[in-house]
Amino acid sequence: MAILLDEKTVTIIQGITGREGTMRARFMKEYGTKIVAGVTPGRGGANVWGIPVYDPVEAAWEKHGAIHAAVTFVPGLFVKGAVTEAIDAGIKLIIVPSERVPLHDTLEMVAYARQKGSRIIGPGSIGIISPGKAAAGWLGGTSEMAKEVFMPGPVGVISRSGGQSSTIPWTLKLANIGVSTALHVGSEPIVGTAFAEILPLFEEDEETRAVAMFGEIGSVAEEEAAEVIKEGRFTKPLVAYIAGAWAQEGM
């Protein structure tokens, strides 16, 4: 098992015809993600790595049926529009790798997602990967690298650091342990899904027996996670590390 993403998750890529979208589409498809379509306004009818492209998300939904997840590779200024379109189409999981999203746009789209029952991972998330099943975003880099670094296993990984989202799974592999699902919550000041919201998902996952959490100074994300444990909503072993060696004195 895994959380949020597996080999059955029907996925689309918004902005698939851009440089990042095209490159990451190849990675996700080769890794095994069930990519059924791409969306780029004005590029309907195109084809990227065998993936058909549509103008609106709604057209992809009508052609391919229910879509579970969208990965949004569009510039920061256009993210809110793309995410809103995905939510309005009925998509419940939106991974947003884009950075420098205007703060008010992030606040609005996160609030809208919660109102509509959708979940945003990001902005500024390098993605999510369930080893041996699927990847959404660019966590793993290439299919070959992802298969080398991410080994299936019983430990969930949550990170506020993009780089450590790979380092921790690699360390777990060297210890012959492996990962159920690894995800980067995002690098922006406000993100759609925090540690406290992810821990209960790992609690419900039968495959996940423990969680490794990599935090960073700033915000109250770790304190919120501690409250989830205190309330009994996460009971499995948790190993947490908060990085701050390079912080200003006194922090």
Side-chain angles (χ1 to χ4, degrees):
M1 296 175 68
I3 68 165
L4 298 176
L5 181 76
D6 61 24
E7 69 277 11
K8 298 178 182 178
T9 305
V10 179
T11 305
I12 65 168
I13 301 173
Q14 294 175 280
I16 192 172
T17 57
R19 182 177 64 87
E20 284 291 328
T22 297
M23 181 166 54
R24 308 309 176 184
R26 181 177 185 179
F27 157 56
M28 286 185 275
K29 182 178 180 180
E30 289 180 349
Y31 192 74
T33 309
K34 193 171 183 180
I35 305 289
V36 297
V39 171
T40 301
R43 297 298 299 275
N47 187 289
V48 177
W49 307 115
I51 302 167
V53 180
Y54 300 88
D55 287 325
V57 173
E58 187 175 300
W61 187 291
E62 290 175 356
K63 182 68 177 180
H64 299 279
I67 297 165
H68 306 133
V71 189
T72 306
F73 288 105
V74 301
L77 290 176
F78 303 105
V79 164
K80 187 179 78 169
V83 169
T84 300
E85 181 185 0
I87 293 170
D88 286 341
I91 298 174
K92 297 304 181 183
L93 177 65
I94 302 108
I95 295 92
V96 184
S98 308
E99 297 181 320
R100 292 183 287 278
V101 178
L103 183 58
H104 282 87
D105 286 2
T106 299
L107 291 169
E108 289 180 22
M109 68 188 191
V110 168
Y112 190 60
R114 290 174 177 166
Q115 177 187 338
K116 295 292 186 177
S118 295
R119 180 186 301 276
I120 296 172
I121 304 294
S125 169
I126 66 172
I128 175 172
I129 185 167
S130 295
K133 296 181 176 70
W138 50 279
L139 180 55
T142 66
S143 179
E144 295 78 9
M145 183 64 71
K147 291 173 182 177
E148 175 69 20
V149 171
F150 296 88
M151 181 179 80
V155 177
V157 174
I158 323 169
S159 178
R160 288 180 70 193
S161 163
Q164 297 302 325
S165 301
S166 296
T167 303
I168 295 171
W170 173 247
T171 303
L172 290 168
K173 178 182 178 180
L174 293 179
N176 198 33
I177 297 176
V179 170
S180 56
T181 297
L183 62 92
H184 175 221
V185 297
S187 59
E188 299 292 278
I190 301 295
V191 295
T193 305
F195 290 163
E197 297 165 286
I198 298 166
L199 287 177
L201 302 179
F202 279 126
E203 176 76 10
E204 296 171 3
D205 179 35
E206 295 178 0
E207 179 183 312
T208 301
R209 291 165 48 196
V211 170
M213 187 174 82
F214 188 95
E216 295 178 340
I217 56 172
S219 88
V220 293
E222 291 78 21
E223 287 84 352
E224 290 173 347
E227 286 297 320
V228 169
I229 297 169
K230 184 178 179 180
E231 294 165 3
R233 293 191 288 129
F234 181 80
T235 62
K236 298 176 181 180
L238 173 71
V239 178
Y241 179 86
I242 300 177
W246 302 107
Q248 294 180 2
E249 185 177 353
M251 292 189 66

